[in-house]
Each structure stands twice: as C-alpha cells, then as structure tokens.
Amino acid sequence: MSTVPVSPQLLEAIGVYESINRPLPSAKFAKLPSAYAASVHRKRHEFPKEQMPNPHWLACGVCGRKAEYDLGLIAVHPDVHPSNPESADLAQGLGDQFQCTGYFRCKYCNAAGPWAFVEDFTLFLMDALLRLSVEGPIEGFPVRPGHLKAFDGTEPKWATDLETHILGLIAQTPDDAYLWNRLGNVYRRGGVPELAVIAYEQSIQRDPRQVESRISLANLLYDADDFDHCIEHAHLALLHAAFYRRLPLQSLHELLCSVLRNLLASSLLKDDMSLFFPPTELAEEIAADHGLTAHPGARVLELPELHLNIDDLRSFSEVAMLYLGAAVPAAE
C-alpha cells in the first residue's frame, strides 16, 4: 500500500485530530475532509513532472534510518561559489548553502528532519554547477544557482520548513484563503498533489473568489482525468479573474492561459465544445455580485473565430484578456 508524508500540523489545521508517526496510508485519504484527495492520490504517478527526478540518499536524524528521497529543484546560493566551479573554495560550505522544493518526510517515522546525506552531496552539486557553466540553462535540470524566496520573503531550506512556517501563520489566521493557497503551492511544487488539492480546497472554502486556488485546482484535476470538476473550477476562475487583485496582471494572464488550455482539452475529451464557455447564468450571477450588469468575459462569445492550439499557450492570450477585461502588457 502506497503512503504519503503528511504533517500532523496539517491534519490538525483541517480538523483531523489524529496522532501520526508514520506516512499516511492510501486508504486514509478517502476519510479526509477533501472531495478530491483520494482520486488525485490514485493518479499521482501519472502527473507530469516539472523537472527530471532528483533522488538522493538521506539519513533521518530522528530515527537514524536511511532512504532515498526526491529533492526536487535544488537552488544553490550563488554567493557561496566563485565563477570557477572547480575552485577550492566551492566545497567549503557548499553542501549547506542550498534549498530544495521536494516535499518529503521520513518514510519510517514521518519526521521532517534533521537530515544527513549518505553520499557525497557536495560532489553532486559541484558536478551539476560545472555542467551548467559549460552548457548554460538546461530545461528540466534539477539544479540551478540562485535563491528560493517564499511569498513573504523567507528563504526556507526544506519544503517542510516552509510548510511549518505557513501552517504557523494559518494557525493565527485560519480563514486566510491566500495563505492556504500558498500552502497548496508548496505541496504542488513538492510533488504531493493530493496534499495540494486539500490546501486549495481549504482556500476556496474560505474565499470562493480565490482565483489562484481555482486555477491550480482545475489544472490538478485535469491531470487526474477528473474533467467535470476541472471544467467547474475553470469556469469559476475565469469569471472571478477580472476582479482578482492578488497577482500582477501579466502573471494572472499567464495562469488564465494555462487553465483555458486545460478547459479546451477537457471540453474536447467530453466531445462538447459548449463546455469551453462558462454558463451564461453563472456569468450573470458573478457580475451582479460585483455590481455589474454584464460580465467582461461575455465578449468571448462575440469573437468571430477562435484560433486555439492546445500545444501553444499563446493562442489563448486573446480569450484570457477578454476574461480579464483589460489589456495585458507584453512580456519583456
């Protein structure tokens, strides 16, 4: 039976008061307060990966047992190494000056560290930096120089550090939908989509207008082949987007293009192109909630032709702009 690492702090935050000293077994996901966690968990190994696997052997500092974990994207702080990655100064401190996005906890005791590397991790980083210095940026490569900064400027080393930080903030303001969205992003980037959907669901329960959570949820459900619910959340994301102010316009435009792509694919897979357009009644309801007589996105139906290409996100730009009700500045 497959298991997933879950923080006891997360379980408490969603109202599950259960002592847990091991990863959560699959059967438990159906009992969590989530409409989608169990189905997403069943499909988790089919989800697309943002970068190539990055497994490393670590020893848990709590129980002492060793296992292999995917560290995800590793950011090596550029200030700790000179331009020559083979210099003698590189090894000194390099193994400590990094951050990673992969979400994992001990496979045996569920602890979130401390961790000790079993292999020579510094040598791995030196080899990776040398390759980057020779070849330049490599798509999907799991190491890059730089810093990983959270939404509030913090720079956690491990994904579980950021999880603990955000859950601490949520404990103070449990109804902050934006914090729940940021927690969902930690899990999504960390490779645990079933935990991501839980956080996004918590987010939209607190604020149904949380567009980022709607989009992320729709895209995850598309990857889980749950096309009906993908379409539902995509429609709501599109209709609330014109009134969302938590993101720069360009960033929101890019997110809308991604969800429009998955909305189109879902509509085609269900052999019903009318599903690509949110219901008129829903658009009117949301417009009225914002004090408008008509929704800006209604103009999509006025387009003479839709030249959309599932393989080209740029082809969705015009439709996204109509839902936003504004012109989007060109990306630099």
Side-chain angles (χ1 to χ4, degrees):
M1 179 183 296
S2 63
T3 59
V4 174
V6 179
S7 166
Q9 194 178 357
L10 171 64
L11 293 178
E12 183 176 346
I14 63 175
V16 178
Y17 301 95
E18 178 180 341
S19 176
I20 179 170
N21 59 1
R22 59 189 174 85
L24 202 67
S26 298
K28 286 283 188 180
F29 275 93
K31 300 179 181 179
L32 295 178
S34 168
Y36 311 117
S39 59
V40 168
H41 177 67
R42 287 193 294 270
K43 293 277 189 175
R44 71 188 316 262
H45 297 297
E46 301 175 22
F47 277 41
K49 305 295 183 183
E50 294 185 6
Q51 67 268 323
M52 62 186 69
N54 193 13
H56 296 272
W57 281 87
L58 301 173
C60 173
V62 176
C63 71
R65 301 181 75 172
K66 303 173 184 176
E68 196 173 43
Y69 301 95
D70 190 340
L71 269 60
L73 174 66
I74 297 175
V76 183
H77 298 172
D79 50 316
V80 301
H81 63 84
S83 58
N84 177 10
E86 293 185 301
S87 75
D89 294 334
L90 177 61
Q92 185 174 359
L94 179 58
D96 296 322
Q97 300 300 315
F98 71 92
Q99 300 163 272
C100 62
T101 62
Y103 182 86
F104 54 89
R105 304 173 73 89
C106 179
K107 296 179 180 179
Y108 303 101
C109 73
N110 205 49
W115 301 102
F117 285 95
V118 176
E119 73 273 16
D120 191 339
F121 185 65
T122 298
L123 182 60
F124 163 78
L125 291 182
M126 291 174 66
D127 288 343
L129 292 171
L130 178 59
R131 180 179 175 186
L132 288 172
S133 69
V134 173
E135 301 182 31
I138 304 170
E139 184 177 357
F141 195 63
V143 178
R144 67 171 174 82
H147 291 260
L148 299 175
K149 289 190 177 183
F151 65 99
D152 60 356
T154 57
E155 296 188 19
K157 181 170 185 175
W158 308 101
T160 47
D161 294 339
L162 182 53
E163 172 196 42
T164 299
H165 173 64
I166 297 176
L167 283 169
L169 297 176
I170 287 174
Q172 300 173 36
T173 54
D175 291 330
D176 191 326
Y178 183 76
L179 289 176
W180 280 103
N181 172 265
R182 267 37 200 172
L183 181 64
N185 292 346
V186 174
Y187 296 135
R188 177 175 54 81
R189 293 169 183 151
V192 277
E194 52 275 267
L195 299 188
V197 296
I198 290 174
Y200 293 136
E201 285 177 273
Q202 293 288 325
S203 177
I204 61 175
Q205 284 173 19
R206 287 155 174 80
D207 180 6
R209 301 178 179 184
Q210 223 302 328
V211 171
E212 292 178 77
S213 293
R214 290 281 186 193
I215 291 174
S216 294
L217 194 52
N219 288 342
L220 285 170
L221 292 173
Y222 173 79
D223 290 334
D225 297 335
D226 186 348
F227 305 121
D228 289 330
H229 289 113
C230 168
I231 291 169
E232 174 188 342
H233 290 289
H235 285 168
L236 287 164
L238 293 171
L239 294 174
H240 283 298
F243 315 101
Y244 191 70
R245 299 294 181 265
R246 298 304 296 263
L247 270 183
L249 193 59
Q250 182 66 48
S251 299
L252 183 55
H253 174 262
E254 292 172 2
L255 287 180
L256 288 190
C257 288
S258 74
V259 81
L260 281 165
R261 181 266 175 207
N262 288 339
L263 176 58
L264 176 61
S266 298
S267 303
L268 291 172
L269 286 165
K270 292 185 68 66
D271 197 25
D272 185 354
M273 266 303 294
S274 69
L275 295 173
F276 183 68
F277 306 98
T280 301
E281 298 81 5
L282 182 61
E284 292 174 347
E285 177 186 335
I286 291 176
D289 285 345
H290 290 279
L292 300 179
T293 56
H295 193 282
R299 294 167 54 206
V300 172
L301 297 175
E302 300 173 5
L303 292 175
E305 291 183 54
L306 291 175
H307 300 286
L308 304 176
N309 182 352
I310 286 178
D311 297 320
D312 183 6
L313 285 181
R314 293 172 299 179
S315 69
F316 295 90
S317 179
E318 183 179 5
V319 178
M321 287 191 291
L322 288 178
Y323 279 110
L324 287 170
V328 177
E332 296 181 359

